[in-house]
Amino acid sequence: MTSPLKIAPLDVGWRTCETSPECVGIAREPYGRCLAHLAPAELDGVLRGLIPGQGLDVRGTTLDEDLLTRILDGVGRRLGRARFDRALFTGPARFGEVVFAGDATFDHARFDRLASFFDTRFTRNVSFREVRFSREFSMHGARVRGHGAFDHVRVGSDALFGDARFGRDASFRGAEFHGFAAFDGATFDGDAIFRGARFRRALSFRAAACAGTAGFEGVRFHSTAYLGPMRVGRRLSLPEVRASAALHLDTGGCRVDLRAAGLAGRFTARLSDADVDLRDATLAGPADLTRHMGRMRVVSLDRLDAGALTLTGADLRACALGRLRNPEGLRLSDCLFARTPAGVRLEPGWPPVRWWTRRRVLADEHAWRGWSPRAEQPLDPGRLAALYERLRPGVDDERTSADFAFGAMEMRRLASPPGHVKVMLSLYWLACGYGLRLGRTLGWMALVAAVTAVVLFWSAAAHTARRPAGHPQPTPAAHRSTVPVPVVHRLTTGAG
């Protein structure tokens, strides 16, 4: 006959309650039992001994609403070093306006009902690592002067951090939010790290501020996420994020990193004085990146796969577009592009002296011609011609579209092997700039007219110089006699 299965007590590193092996509450001396298992008289004696600002150790203890309230009232709602690790809160846990004068730890605790830290003050560090919140978790208006650790927490309902302030870094690595998560008006004086977190419902960071890095690396957004309007000091980091619904960004003054992001829903970004990197990203839904104020510099679009991406006011002067996976899906409005150098330049090759007119070019051509640092895999002229043609339909500016058409023809000419095609394209370029340079056509016409006038003048002068000296000038036809022949005859014969 097999013996019944025995559950080994949890090794928690402190002396546990002697009431039962299942209770891991820290034992109170001299009773050897936790607060939850003390007799009423024993508990009253312990609570009467509490003074404001003293430390509290209730690790592993089961705390109902009444016991928690009596403890907080006993310390005048002001605690020193507070240790609630592995505590079980069976009723509503209301820490509103409590002051924690020392470090506070709630690691591995469990809250079966509401957990409210409304306007709570943590003068040092606070840790909620791997805490399970079955219902709402509120830190609205809370103040944390030190580090805030919320790694791997699980919130079953809404999580409210509105108007909270963290004096140093706050970490939410691997956290899981099953309800609405609100950080509206929250302030992070250091970094805010959400690496690997999951947001099952809507997320909001409206009017939030982060002095350091707001890190959302590998985060999963299962519902709409509003990251802004928010201020970020260094970087808004979103590499490898996955969004099943709409994602809205509104920030500025920082670098926005969206490398390898996979966004299935609508994506909108409203950026001011920001650098954005979309390398290896996949944008399955409609996407819009708009410059709000200052500049919006696009760092990279390498291997970006976007079915419908609109860039408005983007600075693309240093951004190569040659490795876009779907150039036809790009819409360019009021964007800045690299330009050809103006005037006469001495360059290797033939002809050594060239006159350049200003036109907008892709950064890829700029690098290929050696006007800027070359890319790792620069495009050849043939691929550049195709790229210009594929991007042209998405350009809303007529002048830029014309420059792209010129660039496509120019790259096609340079890519053509020696032969009649290259000769014809060269003549087409020389005569009228592929039909896009009216000034060049007028210049040739003026030159031809000037040469013709010079030739005619020279011919007339040469004819005059060859006439013998004393030779009478020919009578102009207008001054020759117009008397009829019969009249002349009668006059000479005397006939009447």
Side-chain angles (χ1 to χ4, degrees), residues 424-435 437-445:
M424 295 299 296
L425 288 174
S426 298
L427 292 175
Y428 192 25
W429 162 75
L430 188 63
C432 59
Y434 309 114
R437 296 293 184 263
L438 180 60
R440 187 175 300 183
T441 304
L442 295 176
W444 281 115
M445 293 176 64

Side-chain angles (χ1 to χ4, degrees), residues 31 142 150 180 209 291 297 302 311 318 374 421:
Y31 310 108
F150 302 84
F180 176 64
R291 177 184 63 85
R297 189 168 69 98
D302 286 351
L311 297 178
R374 296 180 68 89
V421 173

Side-chain angles (χ1 to χ4, degrees), residues 128-185:
F128 285 89
R129 290 184 176 92
E130 299 191 42
V131 174
R132 297 295 178 263
F133 299 94
S134 300
R135 303 286 184 85
E136 296 84 359
F137 173 39
S138 174
M139 288 195 70
H140 186 92
R143 298 291 183 268
V144 181
R145 289 188 182 178
H147 294 279
F150 302 84
D151 298 336
H152 303 286
V153 300
R154 183 186 183 278
V155 184
S157 187
D158 297 342
L160 309 177
F161 289 83
D163 295 324
R165 179 154 196 166
F166 297 89
R168 303 182 71 177
D169 297 343
S171 174
F172 295 81
R173 292 179 177 86
E176 190 168 343
F177 299 88
H178 287 258
F180 176 64
F183 291 81
D184 298 340

Side-chain angles (χ1 to χ4, degrees), residues 63-102:
L63 302 170
D64 58 20
E65 182 178 12
D66 178 67
L67 179 55
L68 178 62
T69 301
R70 293 178 65 184
I71 292 173
L72 295 179
D73 290 343
V75 296
R77 305 191 75 79
R78 181 179 179 86
L79 290 164
R81 172 70 170 100
R83 309 183 73 173
F84 289 87
D85 307 75
R86 295 192 182 277
L88 173 60
F89 298 86
T90 58
R94 293 184 172 90
F95 288 86
E97 300 181 354
V98 171
V99 176
F100 290 85

